[in-house]
Amino acid sequence: MIYFDYAATCPLDKDAASAYIKVAANYFANSNSLHDMGGTVQSFIEQCRSDFASLLGVDKEGIYFTSGGSESNFLTIQALLSEQPKNKNHIITTLAEHSSIHSTMKILEKQGYEIDYLPVMNNGLIDLELFEKRLNENTGLVSIHHVNSETGAIQPIEEIGSICKKHGVLFHSDFVQSFGKLPLTSFTNMLDGFSLSSHKFYGPKGVGVAYINPKHNWEGYYPGTTHENGFRPGTLNTAGIVSMTVAAQKAHLQLEGNQFHFKQLRNAFLQKTKGNSSIHVIECAQQLPSIIGLRVKNMEGQWVMLESNRRGYAISTGSACQVGQQTPSKSMKAMGFSDEQAKEFVRISFGKDTTIEEVEQYAQLLKEMIAETSS
């Protein structure tokens, strides 16, 4: 089967896998233990913390290791809100956020927070003028993702950060789809917190990173926790953290080459589907080339995904299937598409081993599927 779902998860890098096995087998002590074996493990953790700080251009004191992007999003948002006065109960996010952000916002709504969900324009980006108008004296936090997981749209993080700083509002961003694929260090200092996930850049599953600017005096969500300076409970996944760090360093070294490769793959797909009126690729003002969101007109995305799977291609609908009916893509809805159009959405996403031949073959398959259903 040809895998076109790298935005969902990636295979484990071989060097990262080797590091995992070595650490898991030989350096298994709890990093909080006071004996020498615990101290050795703690030194590994701190080296990884320094390595991530260097890759991200931030203070290592703000780096915390977690179980992944969803936990990082939840705990970072909770930590940033913990230092805000009670009147700062207005939060701005977008309709196109990852489900982990939306579920966090639902919890906060029950706690009395007012959540303001911004739409995105038809170019995939937020309207900065509208965003600034929505800020008010009670706005305590903004949480807007960097790269959209369904369309690949790249939000203007620097501009959003500048507006937040001007108004004295805390800014968190979900970097899960962008770390290892885009350079970030030019604007990480604009944020109060961000999140990333190991398995999106060829590291192991079940491990991630949260960052909170050390200037903040936050309180942990779980009381009495000692791990990670009180940020989260539980023995640290040392093997996962070391393996993730190896994968992160490789992704950083290969970033430029991979970006060139992804642009070639995207161009090959666009050229192969050019002129077919049934295939509508979602084009955004700024876009990650490795993610292609599209509609096949008059075909439900769930059917296209299942038929692609039957013919040997793993793609995604970009949304969940509930009670036998496909939920409309939230990113498409946020961009103003109708429910019917949003249900036609599918996503293909590339990895470093994807070939132009594979992409062209799938584009041809799509055209054949369209011809078969219309005949």
Side-chain angles (χ1 to χ4, degrees), residues 172-187:
H172 163 265
S173 186
D174 179 341
F175 280 1
V176 166
Q177 289 293 341
S178 58
F179 179 80
K181 303 177 184 72
L182 293 172
L184 305 176
T185 54
S186 64
F187 52 77

Side-chain angles (χ1 to χ4, degrees), residues 39-104:
T40 298
V41 169
Q42 183 61 31
S43 69
F44 288 175
I45 296 292
E46 293 310 313
Q47 182 59 56
C48 291
R49 205 183 309 278
S50 295
D51 290 342
F52 264 101
S54 177
L55 290 173
L56 291 160
V58 297
D59 189 328
K60 74 170 188 175
E61 301 304 320
I63 298 287
Y64 302 97
F65 295 115
T66 70
S67 67
S70 293
E71 185 189 38
S72 293
N73 281 331
F74 178 78
L75 292 180
T76 303
I77 288 171
Q78 293 285 357
L80 290 172
L81 289 173
S82 71
E83 68 170 354
Q84 293 286 64
K86 289 184 178 180
N87 66 305
K88 294 286 188 178
N89 65 343
H90 176 240
I91 300 172
I92 295 178
T93 187
T94 80
L95 290 166
E97 295 298 315
H98 186 263
S99 58
S100 63
I101 296 293
H102 281 185
S103 61
T104 300

Side-chain angles (χ1 to χ4, degrees), residues 250-275:
K250 286 190 70 172
H252 181 74
L253 290 172
Q254 297 170 356
L255 193 151
E256 189 174 338
N258 284 340
Q259 279 294 89
F260 178 75
H261 179 55
F262 295 146
K263 287 175 183 176
Q264 287 185 311
L265 296 174
R266 185 183 190 87
N267 289 337
F269 182 84
L270 295 177
Q271 284 298 315
K272 197 71 175 177
T273 56
K274 188 177 180 181

Side-chain angles (χ1 to χ4, degrees), residues 251-303:
H252 181 74
L253 290 172
Q254 297 170 356
L255 193 151
E256 189 174 338
N258 284 340
Q259 279 294 89
F260 178 75
H261 179 55
F262 295 146
K263 287 175 183 176
Q264 287 185 311
L265 296 174
R266 185 183 190 87
N267 289 337
F269 182 84
L270 295 177
Q271 284 298 315
K272 197 71 175 177
T273 56
K274 188 177 180 181
N276 192 307
S277 60
S278 294
I279 299 174
H280 176 204
V281 175
I282 309 303
E283 297 282 7
C284 301
Q286 300 177 66
Q287 202 159 19
L288 195 71
S290 57
I291 294 177
I292 297 179
L294 59 93
R295 292 168 48 219
V296 182
K297 295 177 184 177
N298 301 317
M299 292 187 194
E300 280 212 0
Q302 191 75 9
W303 184 87

